[in-house]
Amino acid sequence: MNATHAALTELLPLAGDTFDKNKVTPGVLGFIVFAALALAVWGLMKSMSRHMGRVDFQEAPEAGAAGAASAAAPAAEKAP
């Protein structure tokens, strides 16, 4: 049995007696971590919005699809 395992087996029962499981909260560190994550998500969303606003994409028809569509249109007009 190593020293770490021995310390854990002796100290964990003591920790269970001192803390009320219904009153344990994340505390200040939990708030700071949550706030940092929220700021990071906000920054990423703002950056994504800015980048999506710069996109200027106009889809050009494919060469093969344009020829097939123009050939089919006159044939449809001739049919009674």
Side-chain angles (χ1 to χ4, degrees):
M1 182 182 267
N2 60 17
T4 306
H5 186 8
L8 286 175
T9 56
E10 290 179 20
L11 294 177
L12 282 179
L14 294 176
D17 295 336
T18 58
F19 294 116
D20 183 11
K21 293 180 182 180
N22 297 324
K23 293 183 180 180
V24 175
T25 62
V28 176
L29 181 62
F31 174 76
I32 291 170
V33 169
F34 183 77
L37 287 173
L39 285 173
V41 169
W42 177 78
L44 286 172
M45 293 296 289
K46 187 171 178 98
S47 175
M48 183 187 70
S49 176
R50 199 175 323 132
H51 280 85
M52 293 301 286
R54 293 180 186 168
V55 174
D56 186 26
F57 177 73
Q58 295 178 355
E59 186 173 344
E62 295 179 14
S70 63
E77 292 174 3
K78 291 180 183 178

